Amino acid sequence: MDFSCGCLFDKRVKEPYFKKTKHFEDVSASFAINAKNEQLSAHYSWLVEMHKPVSSQQPYIEAKFQNPEDRSNPIVVPAVQLKNNEPSASFAHPRYYFLSPSLPSLDCGLYKMELTVYADKSKQKILTQHGNELLSRVNTDTCVKAEFIERMEAAARHTKNQWETQQ
């Protein structure tokens, strides 16, 4: 079942795959939808793992997200390095999380994400980059809370039924 709300996709639109580059691998990426109010809102959420260290002791890492309102003016967000609260269960490799501010609106389609690792906070020397795309299946201007919740519940039922038939 392909979930969408307020979107009409043609068959050429494909879901991007998580990517692994020389230094990074995607762990999770999504548009987090806030259905607290009748008018939906969204933000980018991206988690990556650095599986190969870079040549800096204090790298500065930031992401640029394609701005749905102005594609020529990306949203720039600094990385937050995640730490596991359980010392005995620490991550094998450093993980970095990027969360954008709330987006004024979001349309259906593919949006670019790119992280850049600099040698330090001066951002003078780029060490590496990693990028991907994220597919929005929600149009926050045309999909309202009730429709979104209804479609999410239908997708959950469909997934549960598929899982039960496979058991």
Side-chain angles (χ1 to χ4, degrees), residues 59-125:
Y60 180 74
I61 306 171
E62 68 181 17
K64 288 184 182 177
F65 296 123
Q66 189 171 22
N67 187 339
E69 295 277 295
D70 180 0
R71 292 181 181 252
S72 65
N73 186 22
I75 300 164
V76 181
V77 179
V80 174
Q81 185 172 357
L82 300 183
K83 302 283 185 190
N84 196 328
N85 290 338
E86 294 291 326
S88 61
S90 62
F91 299 121
H93 302 286
R95 291 186 173 193
Y96 297 92
Y97 183 61
F98 305 91
L99 181 68
S100 76
S102 183
L103 305 170
S105 66
L106 181 65
D107 200 353
C108 309
L110 288 169
Y111 290 86
K112 294 181 188 309
M113 309 180 299
E114 182 178 69
L115 73 80
T116 303
V117 180
Y118 298 95
D120 56 39
K121 283 189 177 184
S122 72
K123 300 181 0 177
Q124 298 298 310
K125 181 180 177 189

Side-chain angles (χ1 to χ4, degrees), residues 2 8-17 108-111 133-137:
D2 288 334
L8 294 174
F9 289 113
D10 64 30
K11 297 192 184 306
R12 292 174 290 171
V13 176
K14 300 291 182 197
E15 188 79 45
Y17 293 96
C108 309
L110 288 169
Y111 290 86
E133 292 181 312
L134 187 57
L135 179 63
S136 168
R137 295 178 172 276

